[in-house]
């Protein structure tokens, strides 16, 4: 009888210990913060992807939560934007993007599947940049003037120019540059800058227009040549490359931007905390130096400042797109 009682007591003790341990593990699991998904609308290997991975490593340390880059390439960031809209507004999903998906796509696509002002809230901006015109290594031109001459002689006045996405800022730039210099330049759209760059490196296409950060490494390596940049000032990373403003192409003073967005309804505390972490990360010398070397003009923007930048840029390109006669597809 005593042995039976001792056996029962022993089993009860073991059971209690097991339940206590299970409860402790369960509580710890419940209290563990979920990773933050940072959506990127372009393939791995491109400028946006490289930027996202640079920031995610530092944000992880600042926030104490894993920040995981998730590539959702296609349609110039449209697929990633739709994924953000469909995500829970709980602070676990954000979208790192540049101007194209926020300011341009909603104007050139009839039904993009999202409306930035309604579906997204700005979290933080961190840089502006310029678009650039580059030629492939197989092209003999060393300057934009030489490229135009080459197109007129070797190409019969016609040339294909790669762009990272259809109906994008680069597409409009190709059209306007062609008109300015009286050559027939046709845009060749890709699914992001990485496949476009692959074709340029393989001399499958003679030129491309994309952001400076998409070209900078291969330009420095001598594999492609950036022959012109937009904007009114030469870029710190490319001091020898002239601006199109210098060459007489005006009207592109308003610079594109990079920002991070959350689904509408995301708790304000999360937005404030994440934006504060971004301010600290952007101020880090190694981050600033790395992004500057990629061709960005680095500078933190609060949610309000990002919203203002977005509004101004969208209005500027509304005028350009309307003047071009482009009809939303």
């Amino acid at each position: 009888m005593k042995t039976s009682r001792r056996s029962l007591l022993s089993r009860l003790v073991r059971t209690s210990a097991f339940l206590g341990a299970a409860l402790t593990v369960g509580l710890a699991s419940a209290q563990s913060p979920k990773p933050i998904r940072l959506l990127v609308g372009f393939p791995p290997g491109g400028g946006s992807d490289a930027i996202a991975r640079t920031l995610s490593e530092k944000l992880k340390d600042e926030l104490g939560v894993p920040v995981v880059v998730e590539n959702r390439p296609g349609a110039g960031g449209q697929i990633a934007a739709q994924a953000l809209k469909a995500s829970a507004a709980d602070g676990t999903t954000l979208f790192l993007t540049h101007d194209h998906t926020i300011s341009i796509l909603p104007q050139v696509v009839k039904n993009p599947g999202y409306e930035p002002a309604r579906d997204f809230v700005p979290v933080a901006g961190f840089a502006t940049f310029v678009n650039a015109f580059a030629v492939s290594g197989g092209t003999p031109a060393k300057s934009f003037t030489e490229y135009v001459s080459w197109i007129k002689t070797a190409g019969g006045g016609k040339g294909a120019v790669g762009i990272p996405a259809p109906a994008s800022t680069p597409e409009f730039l190709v059209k306007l540059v062609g008109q300015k210099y009286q050559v027939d330049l046709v845009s060749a759209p890709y699914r992001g800058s990485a496949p476009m760059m692959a074709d340029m490196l393989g001399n499958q296409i003679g030129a491309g227009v994309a952001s400076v950060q998409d070209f900078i490494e291969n330009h420095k390596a001598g594999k492609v040549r950036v022959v012109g940049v937009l904007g009114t000032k030469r870029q710190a990373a490319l001091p020898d490359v002239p601006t199109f403003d210098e060459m007489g192409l005006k009207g592109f003073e308003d610079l594109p931007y990079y920002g991070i967005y959350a689904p509408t309804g995301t708790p304000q505390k999360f937005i404030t905390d994440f934006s504060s972490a971004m301010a600290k990360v952007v101020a880090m010398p190694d981050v600033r130096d790395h992004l500057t070397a990629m061709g960005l003009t680095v500078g933190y923007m609060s949610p309000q400042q990002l919203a203002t930048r977005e509004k101004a840029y969208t209005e500027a390109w509304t005028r350009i797109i309307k003047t071009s006669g482009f009809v939303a597809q």
Side-chain angles (χ1 to χ4, degrees), residues 3 32 35 37 47 54 73 82 99 115 119 121 129 131-133 143 155 174 224 227 243 246 254 270 274 294 299:
T3 301
S32 297
R37 292 190 305 155
T54 296
Q82 292 172 350
D99 61 289
E115 185 179 321
D119 299 321
V121 292
F129 63 97
N131 286 293
F133 195 107
S143 68
V174 170
V224 302
V227 294
T243 69
E246 292 176 51
D254 205 29
F270 172 83
F274 192 95
M294 291 178 67

Side-chain angles (χ1 to χ4, degrees), residues 209-233:
V209 174
S211 62
V212 167
Q213 57 270 25
D214 289 322
F215 292 126
I216 190 72
E217 290 303 321
N218 286 305
H219 172 83
K220 290 179 177 178
K223 297 178 180 179
V224 302
R225 291 184 293 278
V226 177
V227 294
V229 296
L230 272 294
T232 58
K233 296 180 180 179

